Amino acid sequence: MTVRRRRWRLKKRTRRQLQGWGAVAAVAAAMWAGRHWSVVWPVLVAVLAAAVVGGAGWALLRSHRLTVGQDRAWRAQEEARARELSMAEVDALSWQEFETYIADLCRRDGCTKVVVSGKSGDLGADVVGYLADGRKLVVQCKKYAPHRSVSSQDMQKFVGTARLEHGADIALFVTTCRTFTKAALGLALRQDIVALHRDLLGSWVKGAHLETLIPLNGSGGGTRRRPTA
């Protein structure tokens, strides 16, 4: 206990000494500045001017960043609205018309030999074609209501047939609903299935090229595969 008190007293004494020396240094600096005011005041003016300019520049930069951020948010909202407007027309299609429409999007983006099954029992190959680089594309189309989710069972069926039955280099699962269940999306990522939910489909409808949608890992994307011989 006695040792602690001594240490506290020493710390208190040291702090007082430092405060005293600081006061002495401040007085000395003030006296020196008073004697050499003709030299000091231009420096002070320059420092103040630099501080004002720096503060104004920082404020302008902050304002610019805020404006850019607001503009980006506005553009994202407008793009989302545009996608939904375009998706309203897609929502009005029957499931057969939806498959034909997806085939047309594939052709628009340079796919060749595009064929639409248009029937049940197609083993998950609603649309089949070839990308411009020769890779075989197999598409499963699910015309679901926007509020629904693609289940793990739906994805399992497609995984089991896309490559084993149809020899797909690119397996694309496209749907009009907003989400895939966590299990379905995890399976898609593990099996290199490109899972195109409503928002990504909306981007495709609005003009995004299929080649830019294929590598979107984390949003339901698969990895690029080598073309077949």
Side-chain angles (χ1 to χ4, degrees):
M1 199 68 175
T2 304
V3 174
R4 289 184 180 178
R5 288 179 179 176
R6 287 178 180 175
R7 288 179 179 176
W8 181 79
R9 289 173 181 174
L10 287 173
K11 289 181 180 179
K12 187 175 181 180
R13 186 184 303 170
T14 302
R15 188 163 52 247
R16 287 178 177 176
Q17 289 176 349
L18 290 174
Q19 291 174 349
W21 282 112
V24 171
V27 171
M31 292 177 63
W32 182 89
R35 293 177 181 176
H36 302 83
W37 182 246
S38 60
V39 177
V40 172
W41 77 262
V43 176
L44 289 176
V45 170
V47 171
L48 289 174
V52 170
V53 172
W58 179 83
L60 288 174
L61 179 61
R62 184 180 180 184
S63 176
H64 172 72
R65 288 179 176 175
L66 180 62
T67 302
V68 170
Q70 292 174 341
D71 180 68
R72 288 176 178 172
W74 176 80
R75 289 178 183 275
Q77 291 175 354
E78 290 299 309
E79 289 176 0
R81 291 193 188 99
R83 283 198 301 268
E84 280 304 304
L85 288 175
S86 62
M87 287 301 296
E89 299 177 0
V90 176
D91 290 336
L93 301 175
S94 67
W95 66 266
Q96 297 96 333
E97 292 171 335
F98 179 58
E99 291 179 1
T100 301
Y101 181 70
I102 293 301
D104 290 339
L105 289 178
C106 292
R107 295 188 186 98
R108 182 200 72 186
D109 290 345
C111 294
T112 59
K113 300 180 182 179
V114 179
V115 177
V116 181
S117 171
K119 60 182 180 181
S120 60
D122 53 20
L123 297 178
D126 295 322
V127 177
V128 177
Y130 292 85
L131 299 180
D133 59 11
R135 288 176 293 174
K136 187 175 184 179
L137 173 69
V138 175
V139 186
Q140 167 77 83
C141 304
K142 286 295 182 184
K143 180 68 167 48
Y144 284 163
H147 65 274
R148 288 189 58 182
S149 297
V150 174
S151 67
S152 176
Q153 288 76 12
D154 288 333
M155 187 62 68
Q156 287 175 23
K157 292 176 182 178
F158 187 49
V159 167
T161 60
R163 293 191 172 91
L164 293 178
E165 292 290 336
H166 305 294
D169 294 307
I170 299 296
L172 175 65
F173 196 119
V174 57
T175 181
T176 51
C177 65
R178 295 192 184 281
T179 60
F180 292 79
T181 65
K182 185 176 181 180
L185 184 57
L187 181 60
L189 291 172
R190 291 193 302 273
Q191 298 296 327
D192 293 341
I193 304 295
V194 183
L196 225 64
H197 54 63
R198 184 179 183 86
D199 289 341
L200 292 177
L201 173 59
S203 297
W204 194 15
V205 170
K206 289 296 293 181
H209 198 282
L210 178 59
E211 289 280 0
T212 67
L213 300 174
I214 289 173
L216 291 181
N217 288 312
S219 298
T223 55
R224 299 178 66 88
R225 300 172 65 87
R226 295 181 180 179
T228 54

